[in-house]
Each structure stands twice: as structure tokens, then as C-alpha cells.
Amino acid sequence: MNMAQNDPTEIPDVDAALQNALKKSGVNVVPPQVHEVTQRHLASLSKLVAELRAAGVDDGVVRNSTKILLQSYEEELLDVLLELTGDE
Amino acid sequence: MTASYLKRPKTNDEFGRQRALDELDILDTPKEEEFERITTLVKSIFGSPVVAVTLIDRHRQWFKSLQGLEVEETSRDVAFCDHTIREDRCLKVEDATQDVRFKDNPVVTGEPYIRAYLGAPLVTSDGYLLGALCVIDFAPRQFSTQDENILSSFADMVVSEMELRRVASVDELTRLSNRRVFNDSLSHIIAEGGEEPGALIIFDIDHFKKINDAFGHSAGDFVLQAVASIMKRTQPTDSVSCRIGGEEFAVVLSSDAGIDALDLAEKLRASIESANLVEIDGRQITASFGVARLRQHQSRQDLIDAADAALYQAKKAGRNTIVSA
């Protein structure tokens, strides 16, 4: 997610960013049960970003928080996907 | 004196709520970076001395992550978060000494002298309230609607982290733990040691291929799910029930399981035989069992091989029986 290039008033497309990151790591197929959980997580993250901005939290803090949360989830998600798709 | 903090009406579906919590398999697990990151961020954003991811168990509140206090769990009776899970919205307590629900609570009148609390419930996708993400202060403070919204969003992320792990740990057909959890559980019982070592039961359904051939895969799936239900009903505490192959199942018992592995295997064998699931060649569905107790210096693979070898002997002995390694 390249927040530096985004309009600061626009909620980042975290879904697309995460999909791209997964593809770069060699994961092309997301099992449906994982997709559902991930979609909810991304919706929560987008909502959080909006809430933090609405509360006037500094953009730098919002960016850093989002980055930390996204990276953390991406690591866990990759582990899960590689585990699940490795059994097929 | 009325102990107002002791009033605890049951939530609408306490049994379901507890089962949902148990299924997440998260209680009493070690601290994990993913949750520590969230509580650290929340602490920074709210500027509060204490932040916690709390899970409300039957008689206690247990902290998956706790910043600012050194405690692992408390009685459920004193838990502010137990009040949070009674409604599907944030609980805001700006001065606990002025709140009739909490003013006599020992954690308000004594250490750590809680004054302010904001808790957002942890709500699963099925609607069960497992606990709360909360911020706590030792001085009264006011919380805004924006504070509630931000905390609620963080709480949603905590739940989806938990649910992601659940998805990765569960066999989709039977909802038992999968091979990943099976391997982790074996590593755990090997690491825990103890005077009464753990044990492994491996079993598979006799003549399973005939069920699929005779009645189709839907019937086969039905049998697998029925066996899984039996396993869940008989599962002792401190054990893990897993599906580890097509028609192969396992139970990993820790040293605290409180039941002998052979006794459990017999309970499972008898329950499967008497379940009247499907009749093949004039006989009820049965299963064959191999049981191996953990020995000193055994590796995970050694234990699996021992149980597998015992299972093989059970098959050779005519099936529907148990052999101990």
C-alpha cells in the first residue's frame, strides 16, 4: 500500500495492496474460507483508518498504525495460505 | 452491603458463547506478537496506562495481551469486561467510584484502583461476545464517541486475527483440528514432559472405501462428520481431536488429560460401533485403534510411528479393536 502517493483524503485500497503482496509471494489462490475472514479484516482496517482520520489523529500516526497492522496480518495470512495450499 | 459487582445475569446464549471461545483454542496460549502490536498501538493512541485483550471464560477473565499490568487472569466476578460482553456495544465507565455497578469492586477499592474504563466487545462472525479490547486508566477520564468507534475497529481486528488462526487450524469438513494443530500438539506434549506423559491415539474407519463405493461420497462425508461429533462429545480436557487424513483421526492427550488413553480409545470404539451410522456388508461401521504412550526421548515421528504400527496390528487382528504400542 503506497500511502505516499494516495490522496490523503482517500481510504487506501488495502484489499488490492494485499492481493498484490500475496501474488508476489507466489500465492495466487485464496481458499474461500480464508477470503471471507480476510475481507472482514480489511473492512475493519479501512474503517479504522477512516475513524482515526475523523478523530483528527496525525496522518503520520495513521500511516504508521496501518502499516504495522497490515504487515502483521500479511505475515499471518501468508503462513496460513502456504499451510493450507501446501496440503492440496 | 450489597455487592453490586457480583450481579452477573447470564447472556442470552452463554453455552454457545463459551463453545465459540473454546473452539478458538486460544485460552492459556502464550503471548503473541500480533496481539501485542495491537495493544501497543491502542495504548499509544489512547495514551492510557493499561490496555488489554480480555477473554471471558467460565469463571475467570484471561488476558491474551495486557499492557501496563502484570497479571494473567482474574476472577470473572471482578471483570469489567464481563459487563462489556452483556451488550453488543462499548462499555464506558468514566469514574468507577461513581458507578453503582463498580464502586464496590475490589479492583476499584483496592489494587490497581481502576477509575476509568472503555471496553469494546470482541464479537465473532457468528455474533458471540468472547471478551473485550479495553483501555483502563487510574484517573477518571472522559471518552468520546470517536474513542468508542476507534476502539471498536481495533476490537474487530483482534477478532479477525483470532478467526484467521481458527480457519488455518480447522478441517473444513469435520470442524476438528487439522494436521497443523496435530503436529503442534504433539510437539507440545513432548515439550511438557512430566511424570505422567502424554499419549497418542490414531484410528481410522474400517472399510471406509466401501462406504464411498456403495453409497457415494456424500455418505462418506456424513460418516466422517458423525465420527467427528463422537470425538467432540467424548473429548477430555487437555486433549486435541484431529482429522489427520482421509478417514484417519487422532487424539493427542497431554499429561493432564485425566483419562487413560486406552480407556478413551475404548470409549470411542464402542461409541462408533453403536452409533448405527451406515451398514456395510451387514455390519455397522467400526474403527480400529492404535495407542502409544509417550516415552522418554521419543521424537514426534517416533510417537506417530508407534501409534501407526499399533493401528496396523489392530487391522491385522480383525479390525474394530485397539492395540497398544
Side-chain angles (χ1 to χ4, degrees), chain B residues 184-199 237-239 252-258 294 298 303:
Chain B
D184 287 347
S185 303
L186 287 179
S187 298
H188 177 75
I189 65 167
I190 288 168
E192 75 175 351
E195 285 187 11
E196 295 290 330
T237 55
D238 292 302
S239 71
V252 181
L253 291 100
S254 82
S255 55
D256 297 322
L294 181 63
Q298 248 184 341
L303 185 59

Side-chain angles (χ1 to χ4, degrees), chain B residues 10-131:
Chain B
K10 291 284 185 192
T11 55
N12 287 344
D13 184 6
E14 175 66 11
F15 178 78
R17 190 195 74 78
Q18 195 63 60
R19 190 180 57 199
L21 179 56
D22 291 341
E23 282 184 358
L24 279 177
D25 228 0
I26 194 168
L27 288 168
D28 301 313
T29 56
K31 298 285 180 255
E32 291 178 84
E33 206 174 330
E34 288 75 14
F35 298 100
E36 298 296 296
R37 280 178 188 152
I38 291 175
T39 49
T40 301
L41 268 175
V42 171
K43 192 166 188 281
S44 158
I45 286 168
F46 281 83
S48 53
V50 179
V51 175
V53 172
T54 306
L55 296 169
I56 302 297
D57 198 5
R58 288 163 182 81
H59 305 293
R60 59 174 177 157
Q61 73 171 343
W62 178 80
F63 302 107
K64 177 60 182 172
S65 175
L66 177 59
Q67 309 270 351
L69 283 174
E70 294 292 325
V71 64
E72 289 189 6
E73 62 180 60
T74 74
S75 164
R76 187 171 174 174
D77 291 338
V78 303
F80 280 55
C81 295
D82 189 38
H83 289 258
T84 304
I85 65 168
R86 296 177 198 189
E87 292 185 42
D88 186 15
R89 62 170 183 257
C90 284
L91 173 67
K92 185 165 66 176
V93 180
E94 295 179 333
D95 186 350
T97 62
Q98 305 301 312
D99 192 314
V100 66
R101 295 168 296 181
F102 301 108
K103 64 184 181 63
D104 299 323
N105 189 309
V107 299
V108 175
T109 59
E111 288 284 349
Y113 300 102
I114 291 173
R115 290 295 175 264
Y117 168 96
L118 180 66
L122 302 176
V123 187
T124 68
S125 51
D126 294 335
Y128 291 111
L129 283 69
L130 306 179

